[in-house]
Amino acid sequence: FLIDSLAMSDATTPSSILTLDTLIQGETRDAVLLTIPATTAPAKADDAALQAFYDENKTTLYLLPESRTLEYVVLTESEINQLIAKSTSATPLTEESARHEARDRVMHDLSNSIEDELAAGKTMGEAFTKAGVSTSPRILENANADLVTTSNDDIIKTVVEQGFGLSEGEISRLIRSKQGTLLMVSAKKITAAAPKPFESVKADVASRLAKQQSLDAARLKAQTVKAALATAPNWQAVAEENTLSSRVVSKLKRPVEGQKLEGNGVPLALHQAIFERKVSEVAGPLTLENGDHVVALITASHLPKVDPVAPTQANSKTTEKLSQEIENRAFQAFTTKHKVTINPALLRQQPSR
């Protein structure tokens, strides 16, 4: 009842609104694009400038993540079966349920035995040997947390996932990997996250700083050009004075979301900005991938000649948006005035016609 009473499907949008919408959607624009090329870096930066850049960016660009040295023991299915066979040698098991019960009992006793030995100060290898499992612990050096997602080894992924939840020196209980392997993990050493030494990344620091200085210089010049275009009587004089290349684009159509642009060579962000500014205003600067900057002076706007749109032609996105807005406001007014509680599940149901 509520949905039907608020539905605006029969509403008609004023023809003036529809006509304006048609004019806006059909508008085209002309613009001139000026390109400010990426400048060469200033004189080679001294050590003080390099050190300052490193200090400012070391925790983001040059940070080594936390790493851990993990010790772990893998208990194979064969070793588990040997333990079960040893514990049931006097009474061979024939029923499946009995074998499962024996397995659970053996694993429970093994876990308790290992934990007792660890509590007494024994190493994992010694604890497993004491429990009747002769196995040698393995070491995973300098592991980082990314191995959980990047490794293809089920055991390594489980070891890292478990190991990064332990404190230094702490040992996990017997755990099972996704593929069923039994493991025990110890965090032998934790190396905290820390920046790489300055000397080891000095060359990269110099490269990044030079690139940043070039971008800053080009951006500053682009702002100067933009200010000049806003006040100059003609763009040709600005382009000539600053030795800039220029390109005139005509009849640019308004970009539509999800619709591929024509091959006019105008970057999408700048294309959109051209329709967000008025004629004689400047859009940009936009930084290109190669470091160049581009500004666009909007030189003209062209509106199509259209006949007034009749209300019967109201099947447009504008009508849908207006109708939806009216429905929303009516709904809010209704619920505010009458203080009702709405069941969201009911609103998602389609009304029967």
Side-chain angles (χ1 to χ4, degrees):
F1 172 78
L2 284 174
I3 294 174
D4 287 341
S5 66
L6 295 177
M8 302 299 296
S9 56
D10 297 331
T12 56
T13 306
S15 59
S16 57
I17 297 294
L18 296 175
T19 301
L20 179 60
D21 178 53
T22 303
L23 282 171
I24 292 174
Q25 297 305 321
E27 178 190 15
T28 61
R29 292 195 170 191
D30 301 341
V32 58
L33 277 58
L34 300 182
T35 301
I36 298 89
T39 61
T40 56
K44 186 177 180 180
D46 57 22
D47 285 347
L50 296 177
Q51 183 69 51
F53 181 87
Y54 168 80
D55 290 339
E56 182 180 352
N57 297 280
K58 62 183 179 182
T59 57
T60 53
L61 297 178
Y62 304 112
L63 188 67
L64 285 170
E66 176 186 309
S67 64
R68 298 190 173 205
T69 296
L70 304 173
E71 182 183 36
Y72 63 101
V73 171
V74 178
L75 191 59
T76 66
E77 191 67 24
S78 174
E79 290 167 332
I80 296 174
N81 290 334
Q82 288 177 14
L83 288 174
I84 296 174
K86 184 178 179 180
S87 68
T88 59
S89 58
T91 54
L93 304 176
T94 57
E95 295 184 5
E96 187 69 21
S97 59
R99 286 196 294 270
H100 280 298
E101 183 178 340
R103 181 187 179 92
D104 293 341
R105 184 179 68 255
V106 167
M107 297 312 302
H108 180 268
D109 293 343
L110 175 65
S111 180
N112 288 340
S113 174
I114 292 174
E115 289 182 13
D116 290 343
E117 294 300 321
L118 291 174
K122 299 291 178 56
T123 65
M124 282 201 300
E126 293 170 339
F128 272 86
T129 300
K130 183 71 173 179
V133 180
S134 180
T135 182
S136 299
R138 308 175 191 180
I139 297 293
L140 183 61
E141 296 277 0
N142 300 321
N144 59 66
D146 290 342
L147 285 173
V148 173
T149 55
T150 60
S151 177
N152 294 320
D153 189 318
D154 177 62
I155 291 177
I156 294 298
K157 292 172 70 171
T158 305
V159 167
V160 172
E161 186 174 24
Q162 185 70 24
F164 271 78
L166 301 173
S167 302
E168 186 166 319
E170 187 178 2
I171 302 175
S172 73
R173 303 192 66 181
L174 272 175
I175 56 174
R176 191 179 297 276
S177 72
K178 290 183 178 180
Q179 295 184 3
T181 305
L182 284 172
L183 305 158
M184 182 171 280
V185 184
S186 169
K188 301 294 289 184
K189 179 183 177 183
I190 298 177
T191 303
K196 298 177 183 177
F198 172 70
E199 290 299 328
S200 69
V201 296
K202 188 174 181 180
D204 185 76
V205 169
S207 175
R208 289 178 180 271
L209 179 58
K211 183 177 181 180
Q212 178 179 298
Q213 289 175 334
S214 295
L215 285 173
D216 290 344
R219 189 178 296 111
L220 180 61
K221 186 172 182 179
Q223 293 292 351
T224 302
V225 170
K226 181 175 182 177
L229 286 173
T231 57
N234 62 75
W235 59 265
Q236 291 92 340
V238 175
E240 183 177 351
E241 180 181 351
N242 292 277
T243 319
L244 304 177
S245 61
S246 60
R247 182 162 70 94
V248 176
V249 290
S250 303
K251 307 293 184 179
L252 284 177
K253 295 181 180 180
R254 183 180 293 273
V256 179
E257 184 178 356
Q259 182 176 326
K260 187 176 180 181
L261 293 176
E262 298 177 3
N264 50 43
V266 181
L268 176 60
L270 191 61
H271 194 147
Q272 292 173 328
I274 288 173
F275 281 85
E276 294 169 356
R277 303 289 186 276
K278 298 177 182 178
V279 175
S280 299
E281 291 186 344
V282 182
L286 175 71
T287 306
L288 303 182
E289 290 184 3
N290 63 357
D292 292 350
H293 287 63
V294 180
V295 295
L297 173 66
I298 297 91
T299 55
S301 170
H302 309 285
L303 294 175
K305 293 182 179 180
V306 297
D307 295 326
V309 180
T312 55
Q313 297 175 268
N315 297 323
S316 68
K317 289 185 178 181
T318 301
T319 301
E320 294 175 9
K321 289 170 64 177
L322 288 171
S323 298
Q324 186 62 51
E325 183 64 23
I326 292 171
E327 285 189 37
N328 291 340
R329 293 194 180 191
F331 185 85
Q332 291 171 5
F334 181 88
T335 55
T336 300
K337 179 177 180 180
H338 296 285
K339 306 297 182 185
V340 296
T341 301
I342 304 300
N343 181 352
L346 180 63
L347 291 181
R348 288 194 293 270
Q349 298 179 10
Q350 291 296 322
S352 58
R353 296 295 184 183

